Amino acid sequence: MRHLIDPTDLTVAETEQIVALAEDIIANRAKYSEACRGKKLATLFYEPSTRTRLSFTAAMLELGGQVIGFSDANSSSVSKGETVADTVRVIRCFADIIAMRHFKEGAPLVASQYAGIPVINAGDGSHAHPTQTLTDLLTIKREKGRFDNMTIGFCGDLKFGRTVHSLIKALSRYSNIKVILIAPQELRLPDYMLAEMAENSRLEFREVETMEEVMPELDILYMTRVQKERFLDEEEFDRVKNSFVLNPEKLKTAKEDMIILHPLPRVNEITRAVDNDPRAAYFRQVENGKFVRMALIYTLLRWADENRPFERTPVF
Ligand code: CP
């Protein structure tokens, strides 16, 4: 049984296959409208979400499938103490595939060990967010036309930013990728990730503390929100919450074809005035999320049904 818990659960070829399928879905929407008829997605969200949950829901509906689940764990038997393992053992009786977001790192991995149906990690604590990575990759493909030969600056909360952790892992598998980590000391990338990057001879990276000093080099600027909900110490959050604010003035030295990505939601790290800049790709990025999740749901269900093929004719 295949799951998606970490971006590297997919090979480079499989990742690119899903991105290519998403592009085909964008070009030929009607072709996929019955692709998951008769299938159910369970969205189990133990932590708040707007984009991820609703795009998973829209994705399954557009594939002709149905959606069940909860967006408030307190309305489920989780509030009575039910474990993730028991919850997914129950959900497998009602659904064919699960998308789970959890505040605890590793919870979707546990779910995958008990579910018996494909589990997709929709974000676990500060660990990983592989479907945001697929969204980012589709956006990079559509905006830049390639995954290699790029300088990408990750700016903001690199300590807790699971979208950053996952995208770095995915891009690390391509050649001539230069990563610039832009963060204050308190929000540096976790040591285990820095160690992994140092071991990757194909990857070049360095750490800086201001975006201004690297702006002219960047092909992609990946902004992130400082994640208040992950801080144990509110005073520390107050110290770093305004570390970076991207505004039109700071973009003056950026390349004309640089793109600005952000997984969203944003707080104050990108001013509204930047939204009108054609380089601001973050709302286009959101839209891509639905298509790549359609491609992923379809692919995982197809893999799960390998020995029990869909009754319908496969669409690819
Ligand atoms: N990018 C992202 O994960 O957004 P949500 O928290 O709204 O799902």
PDB file of all heavy atoms in Angstrom, residues 234-270:
ATOM      1  N   GLU A 234       5.999  32.954  24.347  1.00  0.00           N
ATOM      2  CA  GLU A 234       5.386  34.062  23.590  1.00  0.00           C
ATOM      3  C   GLU A 234       6.345  35.234  23.408  1.00  0.00           C
ATOM      4  O   GLU A 234       6.323  35.920  22.391  1.00  0.00           O
ATOM      5  CB  GLU A 234       4.104  34.528  24.292  1.00  0.00           C
ATOM      6  CG  GLU A 234       3.208  35.288  23.339  1.00  0.00           C
ATOM      7  CD  GLU A 234       1.766  35.381  23.827  1.00  0.00           C
ATOM      8  OE1 GLU A 234       1.303  34.453  24.527  1.00  0.00           O
ATOM      9  OE2 GLU A 234       1.135  36.386  23.539  1.00  0.00           O
ATOM     10  N   GLU A 235       7.218  35.432  24.390  1.00  0.00           N
ATOM     11  CA  GLU A 235       8.189  36.547  24.280  1.00  0.00           C
ATOM     12  C   GLU A 235       9.145  36.308  23.115  1.00  0.00           C
ATOM     13  O   GLU A 235       9.519  37.235  22.404  1.00  0.00           O
ATOM     14  CB  GLU A 235       8.985  36.694  25.578  1.00  0.00           C
ATOM     15  CG  GLU A 235       8.212  37.443  26.634  1.00  0.00           C
ATOM     16  CD  GLU A 235       9.019  37.614  27.904  1.00  0.00           C
ATOM     17  OE1 GLU A 235      10.256  37.445  27.874  1.00  0.00           O
ATOM     18  OE2 GLU A 235       8.393  37.887  28.936  1.00  0.00           O
ATOM     19  N   GLU A 236       9.504  35.048  22.918  1.00  0.00           N
ATOM     20  CA  GLU A 236      10.402  34.742  21.801  1.00  0.00           C
ATOM     21  C   GLU A 236       9.689  35.008  20.477  1.00  0.00           C
ATOM     22  O   GLU A 236      10.274  35.556  19.544  1.00  0.00           O
ATOM     23  CB  GLU A 236      10.893  33.301  21.867  1.00  0.00           C
ATOM     24  CG  GLU A 236      11.957  33.039  20.804  1.00  0.00           C
ATOM     25  CD  GLU A 236      12.571  31.658  20.894  1.00  0.00           C
ATOM     26  OE1 GLU A 236      12.625  31.098  21.991  1.00  0.00           O
ATOM     27  OE2 GLU A 236      12.983  31.155  19.833  1.00  0.00           O
ATOM     28  N   PHE A 237       8.406  34.631  20.412  1.00  0.00           N
ATOM     29  CA  PHE A 237       7.644  34.921  19.190  1.00  0.00           C
ATOM     30  C   PHE A 237       7.612  36.432  18.947  1.00  0.00           C
ATOM     31  O   PHE A 237       7.838  36.899  17.823  1.00  0.00           O
ATOM     32  CB  PHE A 237       6.213  34.369  19.306  1.00  0.00           C
ATOM     33  CG  PHE A 237       5.310  34.855  18.203  1.00  0.00           C
ATOM     34  CD1 PHE A 237       5.470  34.380  16.900  1.00  0.00           C
ATOM     35  CD2 PHE A 237       4.336  35.818  18.448  1.00  0.00           C
ATOM     36  CE1 PHE A 237       4.660  34.849  15.863  1.00  0.00           C
ATOM     37  CE2 PHE A 237       3.534  36.291  17.423  1.00  0.00           C
ATOM     38  CZ  PHE A 237       3.690  35.804  16.129  1.00  0.00           C
ATOM     39  N   ASP A 238       7.360  37.207  20.000  1.00  0.00           N
ATOM     40  CA  ASP A 238       7.298  38.669  19.844  1.00  0.00           C
ATOM     41  C   ASP A 238       8.618  39.237  19.324  1.00  0.00           C
ATOM     42  O   ASP A 238       8.633  40.184  18.551  1.00  0.00           O
ATOM     43  CB  ASP A 238       6.926  39.348  21.170  1.00  0.00           C
ATOM     44  CG  ASP A 238       5.441  39.147  21.489  1.00  0.00           C
ATOM     45  OD1 ASP A 238       4.666  38.907  20.538  1.00  0.00           O
ATOM     46  OD2 ASP A 238       5.081  39.207  22.678  1.00  0.00           O
ATOM     47  N   ARG A 239       9.720  38.611  19.747  1.00  0.00           N
ATOM     48  CA  ARG A 239      11.036  39.101  19.311  1.00  0.00           C
ATOM     49  C   ARG A 239      11.270  38.896  17.807  1.00  0.00           C
ATOM     50  O   ARG A 239      11.915  39.703  17.160  1.00  0.00           O
ATOM     51  CB  ARG A 239      12.160  38.362  20.069  1.00  0.00           C
ATOM     52  CG  ARG A 239      12.609  39.059  21.343  1.00  0.00           C
ATOM     53  CD  ARG A 239      13.991  38.575  21.777  1.00  0.00           C
ATOM     54  NE  ARG A 239      14.103  37.136  21.906  1.00  0.00           N
ATOM     55  CZ  ARG A 239      13.683  36.420  22.950  1.00  0.00           C
ATOM     56  NH1 ARG A 239      13.124  37.025  23.979  1.00  0.00           N
ATOM     57  NH2 ARG A 239      13.835  35.108  22.985  1.00  0.00           N
ATOM     58  N   VAL A 240      10.705  37.810  17.250  1.00  0.00           N
ATOM     59  CA  VAL A 240      11.042  37.467  15.854  1.00  0.00           C
ATOM     60  C   VAL A 240       9.883  37.673  14.871  1.00  0.00           C
ATOM     61  O   VAL A 240      10.076  37.537  13.663  1.00  0.00           O
ATOM     62  CB  VAL A 240      11.532  36.001  15.745  1.00  0.00           C
ATOM     63  CG1 VAL A 240      12.843  35.822  16.483  1.00  0.00           C
ATOM     64  CG2 VAL A 240      10.472  35.016  16.227  1.00  0.00           C
ATOM     65  N   LYS A 241       8.714  38.037  15.378  1.00  0.00           N
ATOM     66  CA  LYS A 241       7.517  38.003  14.512  1.00  0.00           C
ATOM     67  C   LYS A 241       7.595  38.978  13.337  1.00  0.00           C
ATOM     68  O   LYS A 241       6.961  38.739  12.310  1.00  0.00           O
ATOM     69  CB  LYS A 241       6.246  38.245  15.333  1.00  0.00           C
ATOM     70  CG  LYS A 241       6.130  39.633  15.916  1.00  0.00           C
ATOM     71  CD  LYS A 241       4.860  39.760  16.731  1.00  0.00           C
ATOM     72  CE  LYS A 241       4.768  41.140  17.348  1.00  0.00           C
ATOM     73  NZ  LYS A 241       3.691  41.268  18.315  1.00  0.00           N
ATOM     74  N   ASN A 242       8.358  40.047  13.487  1.00  0.00           N
ATOM     75  CA  ASN A 242       8.445  41.010  12.384  1.00  0.00           C
ATOM     76  C   ASN A 242       9.822  40.988  11.717  1.00  0.00           C
ATOM     77  O   ASN A 242      10.266  41.987  11.174  1.00  0.00           O
ATOM     78  CB  ASN A 242       8.149  42.421  12.905  1.00  0.00           C
ATOM     79  CG  ASN A 242       6.734  42.529  13.424  1.00  0.00           C
ATOM     80  OD1 ASN A 242       5.811  41.971  12.830  1.00  0.00           O
ATOM     81  ND2 ASN A 242       6.556  43.213  14.548  1.00  0.00           N
ATOM     82  N   SER A 243      10.447  39.822  11.713  1.00  0.00           N
ATOM     83  CA  SER A 243      11.815  39.731  11.194  1.00  0.00           C
ATOM     84  C   SER A 243      11.914  40.137   9.730  1.00  0.00           C
ATOM     85  O   SER A 243      12.881  40.755   9.309  1.00  0.00           O
ATOM     86  CB  SER A 243      12.340  38.295  11.324  1.00  0.00           C
ATOM     87  OG  SER A 243      12.463  37.950  12.666  1.00  0.00           O
ATOM     88  N   PHE A 244      10.927  39.744   8.942  1.00  0.00           N
ATOM     89  CA  PHE A 244      10.995  40.010   7.503  1.00  0.00           C
ATOM     90  C   PHE A 244       9.664  40.518   6.989  1.00  0.00           C
ATOM     91  O   PHE A 244       8.624  39.902   7.265  1.00  0.00           O
ATOM     92  CB  PHE A 244      11.348  38.731   6.734  1.00  0.00           C
ATOM     93  CG  PHE A 244      12.649  38.135   7.161  1.00  0.00           C
ATOM     94  CD1 PHE A 244      12.685  37.048   8.011  1.00  0.00           C
ATOM     95  CD2 PHE A 244      13.850  38.684   6.724  1.00  0.00           C
ATOM     96  CE1 PHE A 244      13.889  36.510   8.428  1.00  0.00           C
ATOM     97  CE2 PHE A 244      15.060  38.152   7.136  1.00  0.00           C
ATOM     98  CZ  PHE A 244      15.077  37.066   7.988  1.00  0.00           C
ATOM     99  N   VAL A 245       9.720  41.618   6.250  1.00  0.00           N
ATOM    100  CA  VAL A 245       8.517  42.125   5.579  1.00  0.00           C
ATOM    101  C   VAL A 245       8.916  42.448   4.143  1.00  0.00           C
ATOM    102  O   VAL A 245       9.762  43.315   3.896  1.00  0.00           O
ATOM    103  CB  VAL A 245       7.957  43.382   6.287  1.00  0.00           C
ATOM    104  CG1 VAL A 245       6.720  43.894   5.539  1.00  0.00           C
ATOM    105  CG2 VAL A 245       7.609  43.071   7.742  1.00  0.00           C
ATOM    106  N   LEU A 246       8.328  41.730   3.203  1.00  0.00           N
ATOM    107  CA  LEU A 246       8.615  41.973   1.784  1.00  0.00           C
ATOM    108  C   LEU A 246       7.683  43.065   1.278  1.00  0.00           C
ATOM    109  O   LEU A 246       6.454  42.957   1.422  1.00  0.00           O
ATOM    110  CB  LEU A 246       8.393  40.681   0.979  1.00  0.00           C
ATOM    111  CG  LEU A 246       8.671  40.786  -0.521  1.00  0.00           C
ATOM    112  CD1 LEU A 246      10.149  41.078  -0.798  1.00  0.00           C
ATOM    113  CD2 LEU A 246       8.243  39.503  -1.236  1.00  0.00           C
ATOM    114  N   ASN A 247       8.281  44.110   0.704  1.00  0.00           N
ATOM    115  CA  ASN A 247       7.468  45.209   0.152  1.00  0.00           C
ATOM    116  C   ASN A 247       8.029  45.598  -1.222  1.00  0.00           C
ATOM    117  O   ASN A 247       9.103  45.106  -1.617  1.00  0.00           O
ATOM    118  CB  ASN A 247       7.454  46.403   1.123  1.00  0.00           C
ATOM    119  CG  ASN A 247       8.855  46.880   1.435  1.00  0.00           C
ATOM    120  OD1 ASN A 247       9.743  46.796   0.593  1.00  0.00           O
ATOM    121  ND2 ASN A 247       9.070  47.357   2.650  1.00  0.00           N
ATOM    122  N   PRO A 248       7.331  46.437  -1.980  1.00  0.00           N
ATOM    123  CA  PRO A 248       7.795  46.772  -3.338  1.00  0.00           C
ATOM    124  C   PRO A 248       9.195  47.366  -3.353  1.00  0.00           C
ATOM    125  O   PRO A 248       9.970  47.120  -4.290  1.00  0.00           O
ATOM    126  CB  PRO A 248       6.751  47.789  -3.820  1.00  0.00           C
ATOM    127  CG  PRO A 248       5.514  47.417  -3.059  1.00  0.00           C
ATOM    128  CD  PRO A 248       5.991  47.002  -1.699  1.00  0.00           C
ATOM    129  N   GLU A 249       9.571  48.105  -2.334  1.00  0.00           N
ATOM    130  CA  GLU A 249      10.896  48.699  -2.270  1.00  0.00           C
ATOM    131  C   GLU A 249      11.981  47.605  -2.316  1.00  0.00           C
ATOM    132  O   GLU A 249      12.957  47.714  -3.061  1.00  0.00           O
ATOM    133  CB  GLU A 249      11.008  49.519  -0.961  1.00  0.00           C
ATOM    134  CG  GLU A 249      12.289  50.302  -0.788  1.00  0.00           C
ATOM    135  CD  GLU A 249      12.497  51.365  -1.860  1.00  0.00           C
ATOM    136  OE1 GLU A 249      11.510  51.887  -2.395  1.00  0.00           O
ATOM    137  OE2 GLU A 249      13.683  51.628  -2.164  1.00  0.00           O
ATOM    138  N   LYS A 250      11.774  46.557  -1.523  1.00  0.00           N
ATOM    139  CA  LYS A 250      12.784  45.482  -1.453  1.00  0.00           C
ATOM    140  C   LYS A 250      12.866  44.690  -2.759  1.00  0.00           C
ATOM    141  O   LYS A 250      13.870  44.034  -3.027  1.00  0.00           O
ATOM    142  CB  LYS A 250      12.480  44.548  -0.280  1.00  0.00           C
ATOM    143  CG  LYS A 250      12.746  45.228   1.053  1.00  0.00           C
ATOM    144  CD  LYS A 250      12.493  44.307   2.214  1.00  0.00           C
ATOM    145  CE  LYS A 250      12.691  45.095   3.501  1.00  0.00           C
ATOM    146  NZ  LYS A 250      11.984  44.521   4.635  1.00  0.00           N
ATOM    147  N   LEU A 251      11.796  44.739  -3.553  1.00  0.00           N
ATOM    148  CA  LEU A 251      11.796  43.980  -4.813  1.00  0.00           C
ATOM    149  C   LEU A 251      12.520  44.701  -5.945  1.00  0.00           C
ATOM    150  O   LEU A 251      12.702  44.132  -7.021  1.00  0.00           O
ATOM    151  CB  LEU A 251      10.345  43.706  -5.241  1.00  0.00           C
ATOM    152  CG  LEU A 251       9.648  42.559  -4.509  1.00  0.00           C
ATOM    153  CD1 LEU A 251       8.175  42.531  -4.859  1.00  0.00           C
ATOM    154  CD2 LEU A 251      10.297  41.216  -4.857  1.00  0.00           C
ATOM    155  N   LYS A 252      12.937  45.953  -5.677  1.00  0.00           N
ATOM    156  CA  LYS A 252      13.554  46.744  -6.759  1.00  0.00           C
ATOM    157  C   LYS A 252      14.822  46.103  -7.314  1.00  0.00           C
ATOM    158  O   LYS A 252      15.134  46.253  -8.483  1.00  0.00           O
ATOM    159  CB  LYS A 252      13.857  48.170  -6.266  1.00  0.00           C
ATOM    160  CG  LYS A 252      12.617  49.047  -6.288  1.00  0.00           C
ATOM    161  CD  LYS A 252      12.935  50.473  -5.910  1.00  0.00           C
ATOM    162  CE  LYS A 252      11.671  51.321  -6.007  1.00  0.00           C
ATOM    163  NZ  LYS A 252      11.766  52.568  -5.243  1.00  0.00           N
ATOM    164  N   THR A 253      15.542  45.365  -6.475  1.00  0.00           N
ATOM    165  CA  THR A 253      16.787  44.746  -6.954  1.00  0.00           C
ATOM    166  C   THR A 253      16.575  43.305  -7.432  1.00  0.00           C
ATOM    167  O   THR A 253      17.536  42.629  -7.806  1.00  0.00           O
ATOM    168  CB  THR A 253      17.850  44.741  -5.834  1.00  0.00           C
ATOM    169  OG1 THR A 253      17.341  43.987  -4.731  1.00  0.00           O
ATOM    170  CG2 THR A 253      18.199  46.157  -5.381  1.00  0.00           C
ATOM    171  N   ALA A 254      15.339  42.822  -7.392  1.00  0.00           N
ATOM    172  CA  ALA A 254      15.083  41.424  -7.777  1.00  0.00           C
ATOM    173  C   ALA A 254      15.057  41.279  -9.296  1.00  0.00           C
ATOM    174  O   ALA A 254      14.773  42.243 -10.020  1.00  0.00           O
ATOM    175  CB  ALA A 254      13.743  40.963  -7.202  1.00  0.00           C
ATOM    176  N   LYS A 255      15.352  40.041  -9.763  1.00  0.00           N
ATOM    177  CA  LYS A 255      15.270  39.770 -11.200  1.00  0.00           C
ATOM    178  C   LYS A 255      13.832  39.995 -11.689  1.00  0.00           C
ATOM    179  O   LYS A 255      12.869  39.747 -10.938  1.00  0.00           O
ATOM    180  CB  LYS A 255      15.646  38.308 -11.472  1.00  0.00           C
ATOM    181  CG  LYS A 255      17.103  37.985 -11.279  1.00  0.00           C
ATOM    182  CD  LYS A 255      17.338  36.499 -11.598  1.00  0.00           C
ATOM    183  CE  LYS A 255      18.764  36.091 -11.287  1.00  0.00           C
ATOM    184  NZ  LYS A 255      18.984  34.643 -11.391  1.00  0.00           N
ATOM    185  N   GLU A 256      13.727  40.368 -12.955  1.00  0.00           N
ATOM    186  CA  GLU A 256      12.392  40.620 -13.519  1.00  0.00           C
ATOM    187  C   GLU A 256      11.564  39.344 -13.604  1.00  0.00           C
ATOM    188  O   GLU A 256      10.332  39.391 -13.567  1.00  0.00           O
ATOM    189  CB  GLU A 256      12.509  41.250 -14.903  1.00  0.00           C
ATOM    190  CG  GLU A 256      12.928  42.695 -14.817  1.00  0.00           C
ATOM    191  CD  GLU A 256      12.521  43.514 -16.018  1.00  0.00           C
ATOM    192  OE1 GLU A 256      12.028  42.923 -16.992  1.00  0.00           O
ATOM    193  OE2 GLU A 256      12.730  44.730 -15.960  1.00  0.00           O
ATOM    194  N   ASP A 257      12.257  38.197 -13.734  1.00  0.00           N
ATOM    195  CA  ASP A 257      11.505  36.943 -13.847  1.00  0.00           C
ATOM    196  C   ASP A 257      11.575  36.110 -12.560  1.00  0.00           C
ATOM    197  O   ASP A 257      11.234  34.929 -12.565  1.00  0.00           O
ATOM    198  CB  ASP A 257      11.993  36.117 -15.045  1.00  0.00           C
ATOM    199  CG  ASP A 257      13.438  35.642 -14.868  1.00  0.00           C
ATOM    200  OD1 ASP A 257      14.134  36.145 -13.953  1.00  0.00           O
ATOM    201  OD2 ASP A 257      13.862  34.765 -15.634  1.00  0.00           O
ATOM    202  N   MET A 258      11.992  36.729 -11.459  1.00  0.00           N
ATOM    203  CA  MET A 258      11.923  36.023 -10.177  1.00  0.00           C
ATOM    204  C   MET A 258      10.442  35.794  -9.852  1.00  0.00           C
ATOM    205  O   MET A 258       9.589  36.576 -10.275  1.00  0.00           O
ATOM    206  CB  MET A 258      12.554  36.878  -9.064  1.00  0.00           C
ATOM    207  CG  MET A 258      12.633  36.151  -7.727  1.00  0.00           C
ATOM    208  SD  MET A 258      13.141  37.239  -6.369  1.00  0.00           S
ATOM    209  CE  MET A 258      11.565  37.982  -5.925  1.00  0.00           C
ATOM    210  N   ILE A 259      10.149  34.708  -9.142  1.00  0.00           N
ATOM    211  CA  ILE A 259       8.768  34.546  -8.661  1.00  0.00           C
ATOM    212  C   ILE A 259       8.766  34.505  -7.138  1.00  0.00           C
ATOM    213  O   ILE A 259       9.730  34.048  -6.514  1.00  0.00           O
ATOM    214  CB  ILE A 259       8.056  33.302  -9.244  1.00  0.00           C
ATOM    215  CG1 ILE A 259       8.822  32.005  -8.932  1.00  0.00           C
ATOM    216  CG2 ILE A 259       7.783  33.473 -10.729  1.00  0.00           C
ATOM    217  CD1 ILE A 259       8.007  30.739  -9.167  1.00  0.00           C
ATOM    218  N   ILE A 260       7.684  35.016  -6.573  1.00  0.00           N
ATOM    219  CA  ILE A 260       7.515  35.000  -5.112  1.00  0.00           C
ATOM    220  C   ILE A 260       6.470  33.935  -4.790  1.00  0.00           C
ATOM    221  O   ILE A 260       5.339  33.990  -5.294  1.00  0.00           O
ATOM    222  CB  ILE A 260       7.014  36.364  -4.599  1.00  0.00           C
ATOM    223  CG1 ILE A 260       7.934  37.487  -5.065  1.00  0.00           C
ATOM    224  CG2 ILE A 260       6.887  36.350  -3.076  1.00  0.00           C
ATOM    225  CD1 ILE A 260       7.255  38.845  -5.078  1.00  0.00           C
ATOM    226  N   LEU A 261       6.878  32.966  -3.988  1.00  0.00           N
ATOM    227  CA  LEU A 261       5.952  31.924  -3.528  1.00  0.00           C
ATOM    228  C   LEU A 261       5.711  32.100  -2.029  1.00  0.00           C
ATOM    229  O   LEU A 261       6.546  32.659  -1.303  1.00  0.00           O
ATOM    230  CB  LEU A 261       6.525  30.529  -3.802  1.00  0.00           C
ATOM    231  CG  LEU A 261       6.809  30.164  -5.264  1.00  0.00           C
ATOM    232  CD1 LEU A 261       7.338  28.733  -5.366  1.00  0.00           C
ATOM    233  CD2 LEU A 261       5.562  30.326  -6.122  1.00  0.00           C
ATOM    234  N   HIS A 262       4.590  31.607  -1.564  1.00  0.00           N
ATOM    235  CA  HIS A 262       4.253  31.598  -0.130  1.00  0.00           C
ATOM    236  C   HIS A 262       3.167  30.537   0.028  1.00  0.00           C
ATOM    237  O   HIS A 262       2.187  30.554  -0.720  1.00  0.00           O
ATOM    238  CB  HIS A 262       3.734  32.975   0.299  1.00  0.00           C
ATOM    239  CG  HIS A 262       3.613  33.148   1.789  1.00  0.00           C
ATOM    240  ND1 HIS A 262       3.002  32.212   2.610  1.00  0.00           N
ATOM    241  CD2 HIS A 262       3.994  34.162   2.613  1.00  0.00           C
ATOM    242  CE1 HIS A 262       3.047  32.639   3.870  1.00  0.00           C
ATOM    243  NE2 HIS A 262       3.650  33.807   3.908  1.00  0.00           N
ATOM    244  N   PRO A 263       3.320  29.607   0.970  1.00  0.00           N
ATOM    245  CA  PRO A 263       2.281  28.576   1.109  1.00  0.00           C
ATOM    246  C   PRO A 263       0.963  29.159   1.616  1.00  0.00           C
ATOM    247  O   PRO A 263      -0.090  28.531   1.454  1.00  0.00           O
ATOM    248  CB  PRO A 263       2.886  27.594   2.115  1.00  0.00           C
ATOM    249  CG  PRO A 263       3.883  28.404   2.886  1.00  0.00           C
ATOM    250  CD  PRO A 263       4.422  29.430   1.937  1.00  0.00           C
ATOM    251  N   LEU A 264       1.031  30.336   2.239  1.00  0.00           N
ATOM    252  CA  LEU A 264      -0.107  31.002   2.856  1.00  0.00           C
ATOM    253  C   LEU A 264      -0.656  30.143   4.004  1.00  0.00           C
ATOM    254  O   LEU A 264      -0.452  28.937   3.977  1.00  0.00           O
ATOM    255  CB  LEU A 264      -1.204  31.323   1.836  1.00  0.00           C
ATOM    256  CG  LEU A 264      -0.750  32.205   0.638  1.00  0.00           C
ATOM    257  CD1 LEU A 264      -1.905  32.398  -0.341  1.00  0.00           C
ATOM    258  CD2 LEU A 264      -0.226  33.567   1.106  1.00  0.00           C
ATOM    259  N   PRO A 265      -1.338  30.661   5.009  1.00  0.00           N
ATOM    260  CA  PRO A 265      -1.733  32.063   5.110  1.00  0.00           C
ATOM    261  C   PRO A 265      -0.549  32.970   5.436  1.00  0.00           C
ATOM    262  O   PRO A 265       0.433  32.531   6.010  1.00  0.00           O
ATOM    263  CB  PRO A 265      -2.731  32.048   6.278  1.00  0.00           C
ATOM    264  CG  PRO A 265      -2.279  30.905   7.139  1.00  0.00           C
ATOM    265  CD  PRO A 265      -1.747  29.868   6.181  1.00  0.00           C
ATOM    266  N   ARG A 266      -0.703  34.252   5.072  1.00  0.00           N
ATOM    267  CA  ARG A 266       0.311  35.243   5.455  1.00  0.00           C
ATOM    268  C   ARG A 266      -0.253  36.088   6.603  1.00  0.00           C
ATOM    269  O   ARG A 266      -1.471  36.160   6.776  1.00  0.00           O
ATOM    270  CB  ARG A 266       0.668  36.149   4.281  1.00  0.00           C
ATOM    271  CG  ARG A 266      -0.437  37.097   3.902  1.00  0.00           C
ATOM    272  CD  ARG A 266      -0.029  38.118   2.875  1.00  0.00           C
ATOM    273  NE  ARG A 266      -1.204  38.547   2.113  1.00  0.00           N
ATOM    274  CZ  ARG A 266      -1.155  39.291   1.033  1.00  0.00           C
ATOM    275  NH1 ARG A 266       0.005  39.708   0.569  1.00  0.00           N
ATOM    276  NH2 ARG A 266      -2.254  39.623   0.384  1.00  0.00           N
ATOM    277  N   VAL A 267       0.645  36.721   7.304  1.00  0.00           N
ATOM    278  CA  VAL A 267       0.218  37.670   8.340  1.00  0.00           C
ATOM    279  C   VAL A 267       0.676  39.047   7.868  1.00  0.00           C
ATOM    280  O   VAL A 267      -0.102  39.788   7.277  1.00  0.00           O
ATOM    281  CB  VAL A 267       0.787  37.293   9.725  1.00  0.00           C
ATOM    282  CG1 VAL A 267       0.247  38.241  10.790  1.00  0.00           C
ATOM    283  CG2 VAL A 267       0.409  35.865  10.078  1.00  0.00           C
ATOM    284  N   ASN A 268       1.945  39.354   8.069  1.00  0.00           N
ATOM    285  CA  ASN A 268       2.430  40.675   7.655  1.00  0.00           C
ATOM    286  C   ASN A 268       3.727  40.588   6.860  1.00  0.00           C
ATOM    287  O   ASN A 268       4.339  41.600   6.572  1.00  0.00           O
ATOM    288  CB  ASN A 268       2.657  41.565   8.889  1.00  0.00           C
ATOM    289  CG  ASN A 268       3.728  40.974   9.787  1.00  0.00           C
ATOM    290  OD1 ASN A 268       4.108  39.814   9.642  1.00  0.00           O
ATOM    291  ND2 ASN A 268       4.221  41.763  10.715  1.00  0.00           N
ATOM    292  N   GLU A 269       4.136  39.365   6.501  1.00  0.00           N
ATOM    293  CA  GLU A 269       5.464  39.208   5.890  1.00  0.00           C
ATOM    294  C   GLU A 269       5.516  39.576   4.409  1.00  0.00           C
ATOM    295  O   GLU A 269       6.598  39.731   3.852  1.00  0.00           O
ATOM    296  CB  GLU A 269       6.010  37.789   6.131  1.00  0.00           C
ATOM    297  CG  GLU A 269       5.174  36.660   5.564  1.00  0.00           C
ATOM    298  CD  GLU A 269       3.995  36.273   6.432  1.00  0.00           C
ATOM    299  OE1 GLU A 269       3.784  36.887   7.487  1.00  0.00           O
ATOM    300  OE2 GLU A 269       3.252  35.346   6.043  1.00  0.00           O
ATOM    301  N   ILE A 270       4.337  39.735   3.778  1.00  0.00           N
ATOM    302  CA  ILE A 270       4.290  40.285   2.415  1.00  0.00           C
ATOM    303  C   ILE A 270       3.218  41.373   2.440  1.00  0.00           C
ATOM    304  O   ILE A 270       2.055  41.083   2.761  1.00  0.00           O
ATOM    305  CB  ILE A 270       3.905  39.226   1.360  1.00  0.00           C
ATOM    306  CG1 ILE A 270       4.878  38.040   1.380  1.00  0.00           C
ATOM    307  CG2 ILE A 270       3.870  39.859  -0.031  1.00  0.00           C
ATOM    308  CD1 ILE A 270       4.544  36.943   0.363  1.00  0.00           C
TER     309      ILE A 270
END
